Amino acid sequence: QSALTQPASVSGSPGQSITISCTGTSSDVGGYNYVSWYQQHPGKAPKLMIYEVSNRPSGVPDRFSGSKSGNTASLTISGLQAEDEADYYCSSYTSSSTGVFGGGTKLTVL
Amino acid sequence: QVQLVQSGAEVKKPGASVKVSCKASGYTFTGYYMHWVRQAPGQGLEWMGRINPNSGGTNYAQKFQGRVTMTRDTSISTAYMELSRLRSDDTAVYYCARDLHPYGDYGSLDYWGQGTLVTVSS
């Protein structure tokens, strides 16, 4: 199972919006609505930000939103804040009943 | 509150095995699948596999088939991940993480352990 494809880095200024893409195949992202997004700050465990494509766990700001079209899922962060600077990973359920992560995207808040 | 507490850091020689534990509290251990994810230094997250604590059933990533064994002890609400025939590129932080939905197995991981650093070096 190959890793999902994410851009290595994205950046934006405070208050702006950014979008991170996550591209897979019809055997993972495109085949199931089980795409999740995680935020990871240096030295910390990942934190679930979005599950099942577009659902936010309790406590996650509504500035974070998710969507999917075909084999590509997207995470959008609006009203960027300094504390959003982190690494972001997508993941998906697969047709083999396994999981797969994306390679990660480093978000820089300018 | 839900907590996953992992065992401490390990240093192993190439060819050896390591067993990492993950003690759960604050919820019904048998009601939620437990996944294992690793992260090599400076690298991304890698899904290793998961165990159904209720039945003991497992599913492993193809990459680790034959080298990884996930087990659990329901009497002490603890999951284990054992990796054998260690190589230097197995050096990583290993995390346990709980699936979000009761009896769900779709990889939405809502609670994570603190991570266990396993260093493989001769």
Side-chain angles (χ1 to χ4, degrees):
Chain A
Q1 185 69 49
S2 300
L4 307 176
T5 301
Q6 298 181 232
S9 63
V10 298
S11 63
S13 300
Q16 288 186 330
S17 295
I18 63 95
T19 296
I20 300 172
S21 62
C22 170
T23 301
T25 69
S26 58
S27 295
D28 39 64
V29 173
Y32 306 92
N33 288 325
Y34 293 113
V35 176
S36 300
W37 288 91
Y38 301 88
Q39 176 191 68
Q40 187 180 35
H41 288 109
K44 300 294 188 181
K47 175 185 177 183
L48 180 66
M49 304 303 284
I50 297 287
Y51 67 97
E52 292 167 18
V53 176
S54 60
N55 295 297
R56 277 179 289 106
S58 174
V60 173
D62 59 7
R63 303 185 294 104
F64 292 83
S65 61
S67 62
K68 189 184 85 166
S69 177
N71 294 338
T72 298
S74 299
L75 172 71
T76 298
I77 309 174
S78 59
L80 265 181
Q81 299 182 4
E83 59 261 36
D84 298 333
E85 185 163 294
D87 294 326
Y88 290 84
Y89 296 90
C90 62
S91 74
S92 177
Y93 182 77
T94 81
S95 58
S96 302
S97 300
T98 61
V100 62
F101 282 96
T105 299
K106 180 177 180 59
L107 169 62
T108 301
V109 180
L110 302 171
Chain B
Q1 72 284 20
V2 174
Q3 279 194 303
L4 301 177
V5 179
Q6 298 182 222
S7 49
E10 303 261 14
V11 179
K12 296 292 183 180
K13 293 193 182 302
S17 297
V18 68
K19 190 171 186 177
V20 179
S21 68
C22 171
K23 182 168 178 59
S25 61
Y27 72 99
T28 302
F29 177 68
T30 51
Y32 296 78
Y33 283 67
M34 191 72 78
H35 299 247
W36 290 87
V37 176
R38 78 176 187 178
Q39 187 170 35
Q43 302 301 309
L45 302 175
E46 184 172 31
W47 188 85
M48 298 182 69
R50 60 87 174 138
I51 184 168
N52 177 345
N54 189 43
S55 67
T58 55
N59 199 354
Y60 304 137
Q62 189 173 7
K63 174 177 179 176
F64 300 103
Q65 291 274 4
R67 278 211 306 144
V68 70
T69 304
M70 295 177 187
T71 57
R72 90 291 188 218
D73 184 338
T74 58
S75 69
I76 56 172
S77 300
T78 299
Y80 302 92
M81 186 285 300
E82 183 170 22
L83 190 62
S84 63
R85 303 194 300 279
L86 289 168
R87 308 185 292 255
S88 57
D89 62 357
D90 290 318
T91 294
V93 174
Y94 290 78
Y95 293 101
C96 60
R98 192 192 81 161
D99 211 292
L100 173 66
H101 295 304
Y103 306 106
D105 178 27
Y106 299 112
S108 303
L109 308 179
D110 62 345
Y111 286 94
W112 293 65
Q114 83 275 21
T116 297
L117 175 62
V118 175
T119 302
V120 183
S121 173
S122 55

